[in-house]
Amino acid sequence: MSAVTTGGGVRPTRRAVALTTGLLIVFLLYSLAPTWFLLVTSTKDQTDLYSTFGLWFSSNHLADNFQAIWDYHDGVFGRWIANSVLYSTVGAAGSTFISLAAGYGLAKYEFRGRGALFGVIVGASLLPSTLLAFPLYLVFAKIGLTNTVWAVLIPYFINPFGVYLGKVYADTSMPTELMEAARIDGASETRIFFSIALRLVRTGGITIFMLDFVNIWNNFFLPLFMLNGERSFPLTLGLFSWVQQAQQSRDMNTLVLTGSLLSIIPLAVFIFALQKYWRSGILMGSLK
């Protein structure tokens, strides 16, 4: 048996606890293995990278690799970081606002075709983003916006799954009675949304922003189709261009691995910085 029934409820057996703990440890090791590999290989020079064990340290060349990253091609790696921060921050902020506004409208207003529209949005959220990259390129090429910031940002603003989450949070966090009371007091629909609704769905907004930021930071196919200038690349596309150079002319694996390690640091800092606000919002909602 996997559990024992006691007066206080169901208590798992030692065997179940041990099995669950073992599975969690395996999952943790599996999740951390790529990061450990990047950390180890970033400390090696070109010779040690091929002559020593891949999962353990040898001589420490981390500072030299960092310096080589920042000096290569007039510091283009720093430009890629700035581009990724720009695309992820502005794209996630725009997507969050549009998702909350659209979700609020779907949740709180009655209009003809609302159910069909919501069904289309849910269906659109099931489409893989890679499938839409080429059609989007054709559209933006037709209007002359390829190889611009807007060719990357505008598609990021539209997130069907974010709209779905916005509707769910508006349904659960924004009481209709509160809207009616605000209308009786003379508040306009715009003021109700900006002054009341946005504050109540703050937890949902942070959730959507976090998911969008991570998705945009890791996105590869959309920038691949839309951008052709090295100075406008995000980190994902920039590191891919280094891999291509390594295959054609020069072994740049050390730069690629060190750059990959550096690329996950801003993302980790972002997640840990917003985690406390996300958690506190969930706790406040549960108390209410």
Side-chain angles (χ1 to χ4, degrees):
M1 295 179 63
S2 60
V4 176
T5 304
T6 63
V10 178
R11 180 168 56 88
T13 63
R14 292 182 180 179
R15 182 178 179 181
V17 172
L19 179 61
T20 303
T21 303
L23 291 176
L24 290 175
I25 292 175
V26 171
F27 179 76
L28 177 64
L29 294 176
Y30 176 79
S31 301
L32 294 179
T35 304
W36 175 256
F37 174 77
L38 288 178
L39 180 62
V40 170
T41 54
S42 296
T43 63
K44 300 182 179 183
D45 60 9
Q46 199 69 35
T47 302
D48 291 341
L49 187 62
Y50 296 104
S51 60
T52 60
F53 181 55
L55 295 179
W56 197 248
F57 301 95
S58 57
S59 54
N60 188 0
H61 297 275
L62 185 62
D64 296 334
N65 292 337
F66 280 179
Q67 189 64 41
I69 281 283
W70 297 115
D71 292 343
Y72 184 79
H73 207 171
D74 298 327
V76 69
F77 186 82
R79 179 62 179 267
W80 293 343
I81 291 180
N83 291 339
S84 289
V85 171
L86 172 66
Y87 298 148
S88 300
T89 303
V90 177
S95 174
T96 300
F97 177 77
I98 293 174
S99 297
L100 291 177
Y104 172 79
L106 287 170
K108 296 301 176 182
Y109 294 102
E110 295 284 347
F111 55 89
R112 182 176 298 178
R114 184 178 70 164
L117 178 60
F118 183 64
V120 171
I121 292 173
V122 173
S125 67
L126 301 178
L127 293 175
S129 58
T130 54
L131 185 66
L132 302 176
F134 184 65
L136 284 172
Y137 168 76
L138 295 179
V139 172
F140 280 89
K142 192 71 174 179
I143 61 179
L145 284 181
T146 55
N147 201 32
T148 65
V149 173
W150 296 111
V152 179
L153 288 179
I154 292 176
Y156 288 150
F157 290 158
I158 310 302
N159 181 9
F161 184 69
V163 175
Y164 168 78
L165 289 180
K167 180 182 183 304
V168 171
Y169 276 97
D171 275 330
T172 57
S173 303
M174 181 65 185
T176 304
E177 295 79 6
L178 186 59
M179 295 177 60
E180 296 296 337
R183 288 168 182 153
I184 293 174
D185 290 339
S188 64
E189 299 299 323
T190 303
R191 184 176 181 183
I192 292 174
F193 174 70
F194 282 99
S195 300
I196 301 175
L198 284 183
R199 295 184 181 182
L200 293 177
V201 298
R202 181 177 58 182
T203 301
I206 294 175
T207 303
I208 296 171
F209 184 83
M210 288 181 63
L211 294 175
D212 283 339
F213 189 97
V214 173
N215 181 58
I216 296 171
W217 186 275
N218 293 324
N219 195 290
F220 172 75
F221 281 100
L222 183 65
L224 177 65
F225 278 94
M226 295 296 185
L227 305 174
N228 55 32
E230 186 181 55
R231 305 297 293 184
S232 62
F233 286 175
L235 276 170
T236 51
L237 193 54
L239 291 174
F240 175 72
S241 69
W242 279 1
V243 173
Q244 289 183 314
Q245 293 178 37
Q247 294 174 348
Q248 297 173 1
S249 59
R250 175 185 170 189
D251 193 348
M252 299 177 60
N253 288 335
T254 302
L255 291 181
V256 172
L257 292 170
T258 306
S260 299
L261 177 66
L262 289 174
S263 69
I264 66 176
I265 293 177
L267 191 59
V269 171
F270 164 78
I271 291 176
F272 283 115
L274 281 188
Q275 180 178 317
K276 62 179 181 180
Y277 299 104
W278 186 43
R279 186 179 301 173
S280 62
I282 292 176
L283 292 176
M284 288 177 60
S286 64
L287 290 176
K288 291 179 181 180

